[in-house]
Amino acid sequence: EAQVTQNPRYLITVTGKKLTVTCSQNMNHEYMSWYRQDPGLGLRQIYYSMNVEVTDKGDVPEGYKVSRKEKRNFPLILESPSPNQTSLYFCASTPYIAGANNEQFFGPGTRLTVL
Amino acid sequence: GENVEQHPSTLSVQEGDSAVIKCTYSDSASNYFPWYKQELGKRPQLIIDIRSNVGEKKDQRIAVTLNKTAKHFSLHITETQPEDSAVYFCAAKGYQLTFGKGTKLSVIP
Protein backbone atom coordinates (compact mmCIF):
# COMPACT_ATOMS: atom_id res chain seq x y z
CA GLU A 1 0.00 0.00 0.00
CA ALA A 2 1.33 3.42 -1.00
CA GLN A 3 1.73 5.48 2.13
CA VAL A 4 3.63 7.94 4.26
CA THR A 5 4.40 6.74 7.78
CA GLN A 6 5.51 8.68 10.82
CA ASN A 7 6.80 7.58 14.19
CA PRO A 8 6.06 8.08 16.94
CA ARG A 9 2.41 9.10 16.64
CA TYR A 10 2.38 10.61 20.11
CA LEU A 11 5.27 11.89 22.18
CA ILE A 12 5.50 13.69 25.50
CA THR A 13 8.95 14.93 26.39
CA VAL A 14 10.73 17.55 28.47
CA THR A 15 12.49 20.73 27.52
CA GLY A 16 15.96 20.18 26.13
CA LYS A 17 15.77 16.44 25.50
CA LYS A 18 16.73 15.76 21.89
CA LEU A 19 14.21 13.87 19.82
CA THR A 20 13.71 12.62 16.30
CA VAL A 21 10.45 12.07 14.47
CA THR A 22 10.85 9.68 11.57
CA CYS A 23 9.07 9.91 8.24
CA SER A 24 9.15 7.33 5.49
CA GLN A 25 7.39 6.99 2.14
CA ASN A 26 7.23 4.01 -0.20
CA MET A 27 6.12 5.85 -3.35
CA ASN A 28 9.59 6.82 -4.62
CA HIS A 29 8.67 10.49 -4.30
CA GLU A 30 11.43 13.03 -4.73
CA TYR A 31 9.83 15.84 -2.74
CA MET A 32 9.22 15.60 1.00
CA SER A 33 8.33 18.21 3.58
CA TRP A 34 7.47 18.76 7.21
CA TYR A 35 4.60 20.91 8.50
CA ARG A 36 3.41 21.90 11.90
CA GLN A 37 -0.25 22.50 12.57
CA ASP A 38 -1.38 24.82 15.33
CA PRO A 39 -4.94 25.98 16.10
CA GLY A 40 -5.84 29.04 14.06
CA LEU A 41 -2.54 29.00 12.16
CA GLY A 42 -3.15 26.28 9.62
CA LEU A 43 -0.28 24.24 8.22
CA ARG A 44 3.10 25.90 8.20
CA GLN A 45 6.06 24.42 6.41
CA ILE A 46 9.16 23.76 8.52
CA TYR A 47 11.59 22.23 6.01
CA TYR A 48 11.42 20.60 2.64
CA SER A 49 13.62 18.42 0.48
CA MET A 50 13.56 18.23 -3.28
CA ASN A 51 15.73 15.12 -3.41
CA VAL A 52 18.46 13.20 -1.61
CA GLU A 53 20.94 15.53 0.12
CA VAL A 54 18.91 18.60 -0.94
CA THR A 55 17.05 20.34 1.88
CA ASP A 56 15.86 23.89 2.47
CA LYS A 57 14.08 25.98 5.06
CA GLY A 58 10.37 26.56 4.98
CA ASP A 59 8.48 29.28 6.80
CA VAL A 60 9.20 28.23 10.41
CA PRO A 61 12.56 26.39 10.53
CA GLU A 62 13.93 27.75 13.82
CA GLY A 63 14.64 24.98 16.34
CA TYR A 64 14.42 22.15 13.79
CA LYS A 65 16.84 20.16 11.66
CA VAL A 66 16.27 17.63 8.91
CA SER A 67 18.31 15.24 6.83
CA ARG A 68 17.71 13.39 3.57
CA LYS A 69 20.28 10.64 3.23
CA GLU A 70 17.90 8.28 1.47
CA LYS A 71 15.04 9.02 -0.87
CA ARG A 72 12.40 7.33 1.28
CA ASN A 73 13.30 8.86 4.68
CA PHE A 74 13.09 12.43 5.93
CA PRO A 75 13.53 12.63 9.72
CA LEU A 76 12.74 15.76 11.72
CA ILE A 77 15.17 16.49 14.54
CA LEU A 78 14.58 18.73 17.53
CA GLU A 79 17.99 19.20 19.16
CA SER A 80 16.68 21.05 22.21
CA PRO A 81 12.88 21.04 22.26
CA SER A 82 11.03 23.89 23.92
CA PRO A 83 7.35 24.21 24.96
CA ASN A 84 6.58 26.42 21.94
CA GLN A 85 7.30 23.39 19.74
CA THR A 86 4.31 21.60 21.19
CA SER A 87 2.27 20.96 18.08
CA LEU A 88 0.87 18.47 15.60
CA TYR A 89 3.46 17.59 12.97
CA PHE A 90 2.81 16.23 9.50
CA CYS A 91 5.24 14.81 7.02
CA ALA A 92 4.22 14.90 3.35
CA SER A 93 5.60 13.67 0.05
CA THR A 94 4.88 14.30 -3.60
CA PRO A 95 6.46 13.24 -6.87
CA TYR A 96 8.49 16.03 -8.38
CA ILE A 97 7.85 16.52 -12.05
CA ALA A 98 9.29 19.68 -13.57
CA GLY A 99 6.55 22.06 -14.64
CA ALA A 100 3.80 20.01 -13.04
CA ASN A 101 1.92 20.17 -9.77
CA ASN A 102 0.96 17.13 -7.82
CA GLU A 103 -0.98 16.08 -4.77
CA GLN A 104 0.86 16.04 -1.48
CA PHE A 105 0.38 12.83 0.47
CA PHE A 106 0.38 13.39 4.20
CA GLY A 107 1.49 11.06 6.95
CA PRO A 108 -0.83 10.34 9.90
CA GLY A 109 0.68 13.05 12.08
CA THR A 110 2.75 13.16 15.27
CA ARG A 111 1.36 14.93 18.29
CA LEU A 112 4.27 16.32 20.30
CA THR A 113 4.03 17.80 23.77
CA VAL A 114 7.07 19.48 25.28
CA LEU A 115 6.81 20.08 29.02
CA GLY B 1 6.79 34.88 -0.15
CA GLU B 2 3.24 33.75 -0.82
CA ASN B 3 0.47 34.80 1.56
CA VAL B 4 -2.87 32.99 1.52
CA GLU B 5 -5.90 34.41 3.31
CA GLN B 6 -8.90 32.15 3.93
CA HIS B 7 -12.43 33.12 5.00
CA PRO B 8 -14.49 32.43 6.95
CA SER B 9 -12.66 30.68 9.79
CA THR B 10 -15.87 28.92 10.85
CA LEU B 11 -19.01 28.16 8.87
CA SER B 12 -22.23 26.49 9.94
CA VAL B 13 -24.84 25.43 7.41
CA GLN B 14 -27.99 23.37 7.47
CA GLU B 15 -27.85 19.99 5.81
CA GLY B 16 -28.73 20.35 2.14
CA ASP B 17 -27.60 23.98 1.91
CA SER B 18 -24.51 25.15 0.05
CA ALA B 19 -21.21 26.18 1.60
CA VAL B 20 -18.68 28.58 0.12
CA ILE B 21 -15.13 29.13 1.32
CA LYS B 22 -12.99 31.88 -0.18
CA CYS B 23 -9.25 32.35 -0.43
CA THR B 24 -7.00 35.07 -1.75
CA TYR B 25 -3.31 34.81 -2.58
CA SER B 26 -0.56 37.35 -3.10
CA ASP B 27 1.96 35.82 -5.52
CA SER B 28 0.86 36.27 -9.12
CA ALA B 29 3.27 33.48 -10.10
CA SER B 30 1.22 30.87 -8.19
CA ASN B 31 -0.25 28.39 -10.62
CA TYR B 32 -1.69 25.53 -8.59
CA PHE B 33 -4.52 25.74 -6.06
CA PRO B 34 -5.47 22.60 -4.13
CA TRP B 35 -8.10 22.17 -1.44
CA TYR B 36 -7.63 19.75 1.43
CA LYS B 37 -10.18 18.32 3.85
CA GLN B 38 -9.12 17.33 7.34
CA GLU B 39 -11.49 15.33 9.48
CA LEU B 40 -11.05 15.39 13.23
CA GLY B 41 -7.89 13.55 14.26
CA LYS B 42 -6.93 12.67 10.72
CA ARG B 43 -4.48 13.81 8.08
CA PRO B 44 -5.34 16.39 5.40
CA GLN B 45 -6.52 14.83 2.16
CA LEU B 46 -6.83 16.41 -1.25
CA ILE B 47 -10.42 16.84 -2.39
CA ILE B 48 -10.03 18.96 -5.50
CA ASP B 49 -7.43 21.13 -7.20
CA ILE B 50 -7.30 23.63 -10.03
CA ARG B 51 -4.51 24.85 -12.21
CA SER B 52 -4.06 28.41 -13.40
CA ASN B 53 -5.12 27.74 -16.97
CA VAL B 54 -8.61 26.69 -15.83
CA GLY B 55 -11.33 28.94 -14.41
CA GLU B 56 -13.59 26.31 -12.88
CA LYS B 57 -13.53 22.64 -12.01
CA LYS B 58 -16.30 20.44 -10.68
CA ASP B 59 -16.37 17.02 -9.08
CA GLN B 60 -19.85 15.88 -8.08
CA ARG B 61 -20.97 18.18 -5.23
CA ILE B 62 -17.67 20.04 -5.05
CA ALA B 63 -16.53 22.84 -7.33
CA VAL B 64 -13.66 25.27 -7.31
CA THR B 65 -13.45 28.58 -9.16
CA LEU B 66 -10.34 30.63 -9.84
CA ASN B 67 -10.03 34.31 -10.75
CA LYS B 68 -6.39 34.92 -11.56
CA THR B 69 -6.88 38.61 -12.21
CA ALA B 70 -8.29 39.18 -8.75
CA LYS B 71 -6.06 36.49 -7.22
CA HIS B 72 -8.82 34.66 -5.47
CA PHE B 73 -10.30 31.19 -5.59
CA SER B 74 -13.26 29.57 -3.90
CA LEU B 75 -14.58 26.17 -2.87
CA HIS B 76 -18.27 25.46 -3.33
CA ILE B 77 -19.98 22.49 -1.72
CA THR B 78 -23.59 21.90 -2.72
CA GLU B 79 -26.21 19.75 -0.99
CA THR B 80 -24.07 19.55 2.13
CA GLN B 81 -24.20 16.42 4.25
CA PRO B 82 -23.12 15.81 7.86
CA GLU B 83 -20.03 13.95 6.62
CA ASP B 84 -18.86 17.18 4.99
CA SER B 85 -18.18 18.51 8.48
CA ALA B 86 -14.42 19.01 8.71
CA VAL B 87 -11.69 21.62 8.47
CA TYR B 88 -10.96 22.73 4.91
CA PHE B 89 -7.67 24.24 3.82
CA CYS B 90 -6.96 26.10 0.63
CA ALA B 91 -3.40 26.37 -0.67
CA ALA B 92 -1.51 28.16 -3.40
CA LYS B 93 1.69 27.00 -5.02
CA GLY B 94 4.21 29.32 -6.52
CA TYR B 95 7.68 28.22 -5.54
CA GLN B 96 6.33 26.38 -2.50
CA LEU B 97 2.89 25.34 -1.32
CA THR B 98 1.40 27.81 1.17
CA PHE B 99 -1.75 26.97 3.11
CA GLY B 100 -4.55 29.15 4.37
CA LYS B 101 -5.44 29.00 8.06
CA GLY B 102 -8.42 26.74 7.54
CA THR B 103 -12.22 26.85 7.73
CA LYS B 104 -14.12 24.69 10.18
CA LEU B 105 -17.32 23.64 8.44
CA SER B 106 -20.18 22.29 10.52
CA VAL B 107 -23.18 20.78 8.73
CA ILE B 108 -26.21 20.70 11.01
CA PRO B 109 -28.58 17.77 10.41
Side-chain angles (χ1 to χ4, degrees), chain A residues 4 9 31 35 37 40-43 45 48 50 56 59 88 90 100-109, chain B residues 1-2 31-32 36 38 41-47 49 51 87 89 93-102:
Chain A
V4 180
R9 295 290 313 281
Y31 186 99
Y35 295 89
Q37 183 176 16
L41 296 179
L43 291 152
Q45 191 179 54
Y48 65 94
M50 299 186 78
D56 209 346
D59 296 321
L88 177 60
F90 286 101
N101 292 294
N102 298 285
E103 176 182 358
Q104 290 216 39
F105 293 86
F106 285 87
Chain B
E2 175 68 276
N31 59 5
Y32 175 62
Y36 284 82
Q38 186 179 29
K42 297 193 175 180
R43 71 192 81 187
Q45 292 197 299
L46 182 73
I47 55 171
D49 57 14
R51 286 160 174 75
V87 178
F89 292 98
K93 185 174 183 293
Y95 183 67
Q96 292 297 324
L97 191 66
T98 301
F99 287 85
K101 290 181 167 53

Side-chain angles (χ1 to χ4, degrees), chain B residues 2-3 5 8 10 14 17 23 30-31 35 44 46 50 58 66 69 79-80 85-86 89 91-92 96 98 100 102-103:
Chain B
E2 175 68 276
N3 182 46
E5 299 282 341
T10 60
Q14 292 289 332
D17 287 350
C23 290
S30 290
N31 59 5
W35 287 87
L46 182 73
I50 191 167
K58 190 174 182 180
L66 171 64
T69 303
E79 301 172 17
T80 53
S85 296
F89 292 98
Q96 292 297 324
T98 301
T103 296

Side-chain angles (χ1 to χ4, degrees), chain B residues 11 17 24 31 37-38 40 43 53 58 60 69-70 72 77 81-82 88 93 98 103-104 108:
Chain B
L11 179 60
D17 287 350
T24 61
N31 59 5
K37 176 184 180 182
Q38 186 179 29
L40 189 62
R43 71 192 81 187
N53 57 346
K58 190 174 182 180
Q60 299 182 348
T69 303
H72 65 70
I77 305 174
Q81 301 167 4
Y88 292 81
K93 185 174 183 293
T98 301
T103 296
K104 183 177 181 180
I108 305 162

Side-chain angles (χ1 to χ4, degrees), chain A residues 7-55:
Chain A
N7 282 291
R9 295 290 313 281
Y10 304 90
L11 179 60
I12 300 174
T13 188
V14 296
T15 298
K17 186 176 181 182
K18 181 180 178 179
L19 66 92
T20 299
V21 183
T22 64
C23 172
S24 183
Q25 51 92 7
N26 62 1
M27 297 171 280
N28 202 36
H29 287 170
E30 290 79 12
Y31 186 99
M32 298 184 73
S33 58
W34 276 102
Y35 295 89
R36 61 178 290 174
Q37 183 176 16
D38 302 290
L41 296 179
L43 291 152
R44 294 180 293 168
Q45 191 179 54
I46 303 170
Y47 268 93
Y48 65 94
S49 169
M50 299 186 78
N51 216 324
V52 175
E53 301 292 1
V54 181
T55 63

